[in-house]
Amino acid sequence: MSRKQLVIAIDGPAASGKSTTARLVAQRLGYTYIDTGAMYRAVTLAVLDAGIDPDDSTAVERLADDLAIHLERLEDGALHVYLNSRDVSGEIRSPGVTRHVSAVSSHAGVRRRLVELQKRIGEKGGVVIDGRDIGTVVFPDADVKVFMVADLNARASRRQAEFQTMGDDLPLDGLASELAERDRLDSTRAVSPLARALDAVEIDTSGLSIEEQVEIVIGLAERKSGGGG
Ligand code: DC
């Protein structure tokens, strides 16, 4: 008997473990992983490339309307992000994009455009989708909703380790204040702020391994799809 193809929504603050967990859960279930943060980052890259002020909502929204963004998983297993057919997977992780992505993603027109795209990609189910507003706005009827949190120190240490694998040695306190500021902006914006859906299961990943995080989400998914395994 074929199983129902679920929509699994994972929200939470920056570096709480969402994307690694979402990617691995998708791999285990044979689902598609949708990284919505990558989409907001791609718009931000286009804004910066065009020399537009990230706070200028009219100019940013006009640009966002004309962009073609798509996500694709290549044979190497990694999720690649394309902006008007250009692979921008590396560039969207730059410090410049990270610094301005909260401003760009706060504009209503940008969100309207990307939420519509996210709904279209996920409508048939079989997706694990991570972001800030997935369980509240994009898929309020998601089958599984998770809200991942972790203390600031744990999150900053994870970011530091990620940068170290790319050869960058960044101080912990700088990373911690960057994360705290981004969370503040993301959770206080007027349109679909970072928030836990009332029916989301909160997982504190501060002391968990990646395997443990994945197992918890897989367990929730199995319960929903009515199977034991
Ligand atoms: O998950 P991330 O750190 O790559 O996300 C980058 C930014 O994009 C985040 O600081 C806020 C924005 N974002 C959003 O507003 N809504 C989402 N669903 C996903 C990300």
Side-chain angles (χ1 to χ4, degrees):
M1 192 185 87
S2 73
R3 287 268 178 82
K4 183 181 176 220
Q5 294 276 294
L6 307 176
V7 172
I8 301 176
I10 305 184
D11 288 303
S16 53
K18 302 181 303 289
S19 43
T20 311
T21 307
R23 187 170 46 78
L24 293 171
V25 169
Q27 215 169 51
R28 280 267 297 272
L29 298 175
Y31 280 15
T32 301
Y33 165 45
I34 307 171
D35 176 355
T36 63
M39 295 178 175
Y40 289 98
R41 286 173 179 273
V43 176
T44 306
L45 178 66
V47 165
L48 298 178
D49 281 354
I52 291 171
D53 174 359
D55 290 316
D56 180 345
S57 60
T58 310
V60 170
E61 288 172 354
R62 196 179 311 129
L63 178 79
D65 270 344
D66 289 336
L67 295 176
I69 294 169
H70 83 274
L71 304 178
E72 203 173 309
R73 199 156 66 97
L74 300 190
E75 292 99 69
D76 63 2
L79 189 76
H80 286 248
V81 186
Y82 295 85
L83 181 63
N84 298 332
S85 307
R86 177 164 67 107
D87 187 344
V88 294
S89 315
E91 282 171 84
I92 59 167
R93 306 286 161 197
S94 73
V97 168
T98 302
R99 215 166 22 247
H100 296 292
V101 67
S102 292
V104 169
S105 60
S106 71
H107 303 305
V110 173
R111 305 204 70 82
R112 209 176 310 119
R113 172 81 213 286
L114 293 189
V115 167
E116 187 190 296
L117 184 62
Q118 291 154 15
K119 283 186 169 162
R120 213 173 328 127
I121 305 176
E123 69 189 353
K124 294 201 175 70
V127 292
V128 185
I129 172 163
D130 81 348
R132 305 294 189 288
D133 60 340
I134 310 304
T136 51
V137 174
V138 184
F139 287 108
D141 298 326
D143 302 285
V144 174
K145 290 188 193 180
V146 169
F147 194 75
M148 284 198 160
V149 296
D151 63 50
L152 188 58
N153 237 331
R155 294 191 285 130
S157 303
R158 284 178 195 159
R159 266 294 131 89
Q160 190 180 44
E162 273 169 31
F163 278 113
Q164 271 162 0
T165 63
M166 298 186 276
D168 289 329
D169 225 341
L170 299 179
L172 206 59
D173 51 353
L175 288 167
S177 45
E178 182 265 312
L179 288 174
E181 175 60 4
R182 200 141 59 89
D183 292 345
R184 188 187 67 77
L185 293 171
D186 293 343
S187 51
T188 57
R189 68 175 174 233
V191 191
S192 42
L194 163 67
R196 179 192 156 169
L198 290 176
D199 53 349
V201 176
E202 183 166 303
I203 304 175
D204 185 337
T205 66
S206 312
L208 295 181
S209 67
I210 289 165
E211 293 73 24
E212 288 169 324
Q213 292 162 205
V214 171
E215 283 309 323
I216 295 172
V217 181
I218 295 275
L220 294 170
E222 281 173 350
R223 244 181 286 155
K224 266 293 161 166
S225 63

